[in-house]
Amino acid sequence: MSQSTINDRKSEHLTLAGLPTMQMSVTNGLDSVQFEPCALPELNFSEIDTRCHLFGKELQQPLIIASMSGGTRASRQLNQTLAAAAEQAGVALGLGSMRIAIEQPEQCSTFQVRSIAPSIPILANIGGAQLVQPEGLSHALKCIDIAEADGIFVHLNPLQEALQSQGDTQWRGVLDAIATLVTLAPVPVIVKEVGHGLGPSTARKLVNVGVQYLDIAGAGGTSWAAIETERSRTDNKAQTGEVFHNFGINLRDSLRSIQQEETLSESLTLIASGGIRSGLDIAKSIRLGASFASAASPILAAANHGTESLTEFLEQWRQQLRISCFVTGCASLRDLRYAPLITPQHL
Ligand SMILES: Cc1cc2nc3c(=O)[nH]c(=O)nc-3n(C[C@H](O)[C@H](O)[C@H](O)COP(=O)(O)O)c2cc1C
């Protein structure tokens, strides 16, 4: 694919993702999960501790900035803003797809933010469809080096690719390639969707080849079908995209279905994403079995106003998470996992 096509695509994604119409009209399902309020918390607010560890590094809250950016001039600035705020707020940082850094080595530096964020986990990113191409595995290893990463996301986005003009639709062999990457990579491999969710059947296949980390990226947040529909240059393609606007398994159902299978829940560390929009959503995700949450579009909106604004935004989510703990009588994330719900049928 030509250089300008990949660059234009990333720029359009970053612009379009901010529009309210690019969000799904279905929810992530967390609205039906309600904590039983605890009017007698029997703890002091100052005791509440939301710290945790990811890949040996401490976070102030269980949050990962979702993969978004890199490869264009605007993306360089955005990655620097995300890295600076992530370092200040003590959250992890996912980089956007690094395919462009392989195809255009002069763009590598747009992903190199380790000096700005020395103490937090930084996660590289490559597509499943890139992994099966010749040298895909060595490219993935190179992405880890370029970013000095603590882990690597492999994104699975078959719907997005099918809707994109010139999308990658050769998906035979992706699972085997992931299996090989898991054995070769010097850092953990996290498999993610991009907003249509990972259901239990996909999770089982991934667990069977040794994957231990999944980022759900469920339905209920950013709709890639909507974004690709907006980018479509022909009515025909746009109509096809509209059919899939709300396609996918939502965050709640994905977490719940994976938790229900003991072999899956015991083998996996889960990241909840796809429509995470507050610290209360993070709390509910932890209650449903996730170890971390992740978000893209609201973080992009805050980052567009600069590092200070994004740092404040992340701090606000941490405060909302701490209040969620207080009003459910939980002193820690571990306690939150057992907080009573009003709707136990959603467990
Ligand atoms: C502007 C933008 C760019 C994105 N680029 C990537 C990417 O390069 N690689 C990837 O794995 N996911 C990418 N995503 C998907 C997000 O990482 C995330 O999985 C998805 O947007 C769901 O989260 P949300 O509902 O909080 O936006 C992107 C999302 C947005 C909004």
Side-chain angles (χ1 to χ4, degrees):
M1 192 183 307
S2 76
Q3 299 195 352
S4 58
T5 308
I6 308 184
N7 292 2
D8 294 350
R9 186 190 278 180
K10 183 48 89 180
S11 301
E12 286 178 24
H13 285 166
L14 286 169
T15 309
L16 288 171
L19 303 175
T21 46
M22 298 302 123
Q23 297 297 301
M24 291 194 185
S25 50
V26 293
T27 77
N28 59 17
L30 293 179
D31 41 357
S32 70
V33 177
Q34 297 294 336
F35 287 112
E36 179 186 332
C38 174
L40 286 168
E42 290 298 335
L43 61 95
N44 299 329
F45 192 79
S46 58
E47 291 164 24
I48 293 165
D49 187 358
T50 59
R51 286 173 303 172
C52 57
H53 285 84
L54 175 63
F55 306 147
K57 293 186 171 165
E58 186 178 90
L59 305 181
Q60 294 303 311
Q61 58 173 318
L63 183 64
I64 302 169
I65 295 179
S67 305
M68 283 188 278
S69 181
T72 62
R73 192 188 299 178
S75 285
R76 176 197 303 277
Q77 177 58 52
L78 178 56
N79 270 345
Q80 290 174 353
T81 301
L82 297 176
E87 177 72 21
Q88 280 179 44
V91 304
L93 172 64
L95 300 170
S97 172
M98 296 178 70
R99 172 185 186 176
I100 200 166
I102 300 296
E103 294 179 12
Q104 303 173 37
E106 70 277 12
Q107 299 294 351
C108 280
S109 60
T110 65
F111 295 93
Q112 291 171 321
V113 290
R114 179 52 88 193
S115 60
I116 302 173
S119 72
I120 54 151
I122 293 180
L123 309 166
N125 186 301
I126 193 162
Q130 276 77 64
L131 216 49
V132 274
Q133 287 171 9
E135 296 191 65
L137 286 163
S138 68
H139 289 161
L141 300 178
K142 200 165 169 197
C143 290
I144 297 168
D145 276 350
I146 291 168
E148 296 176 57
D150 302 278
I152 181 164
F153 277 117
V154 175
H155 67 263
L156 303 180
N157 61 339
L159 176 59
Q160 185 188 8
E161 297 289 354
L163 292 173
Q164 248 169 23
S165 65
Q166 299 183 58
D168 284 315
T169 49
Q170 311 281 351
W171 279 66
R172 273 191 198 283
V174 172
L175 185 62
D176 279 350
I178 291 174
T180 311
L181 183 62
V182 168
T183 58
L184 290 183
V187 294
V189 173
I190 312 151
V191 177
K192 78 187 281 289
E193 232 283 345
V194 298
H196 306 286
L198 295 172
S201 316
T202 309
R204 208 172 304 119
K205 288 181 194 163
L206 291 165
V207 164
N208 287 343
V209 300
V211 172
Q212 294 176 9
Y213 299 89
L214 284 194
D215 181 341
I216 301 298
T222 302
S223 168
W224 282 98
I227 292 176
E228 296 304 343
T229 301
E230 193 64 31
R231 291 182 63 238
S232 297
R233 308 287 182 235
T234 67
D235 287 350
N236 211 350
K237 278 218 158 90
Q239 277 166 14
T240 301
E242 274 164 24
V243 169
F244 294 95
H245 189 111
N246 288 319
F247 181 81
I249 178 168
N250 73 31
L251 167 57
R252 178 202 63 206
D253 292 348
S254 172
L255 283 177
R256 194 177 53 172
S257 56
I258 291 174
Q259 285 303 113
Q260 273 166 356
E261 284 195 38
E262 224 171 87
T263 47
L264 293 182
S265 62
E266 280 173 1
S267 320
L268 285 168
T269 297
L270 296 171
I271 300 165
S273 71
I276 292 285
R277 299 294 178 259
S278 69
L280 178 57
D281 279 349
I282 300 175
K284 289 180 178 179
S285 301
I286 300 291
R287 175 61 185 84
L288 295 185
S291 299
F292 303 92
S294 176
S297 78
I299 288 182
L300 176 62
N304 284 336
H305 298 283
T307 303
E308 206 177 310
S309 163
L310 178 57
T311 308
E312 269 173 32
F313 177 85
L314 295 170
E315 187 47 45
Q316 200 181 359
W317 275 20
R318 189 175 79 98
Q319 186 67 355
Q320 292 166 5
L321 173 61
R322 296 184 78 218
I323 293 173
S324 306
C325 288
F326 192 51
V327 298
T328 53
C330 298
S332 66
L333 299 176
R334 189 186 304 179
D335 292 350
L336 203 51
R337 288 192 97 120
Y338 302 99
L341 295 178
I342 295 175
T343 49
Q345 70 270 25
H346 288 304
L347 272 175

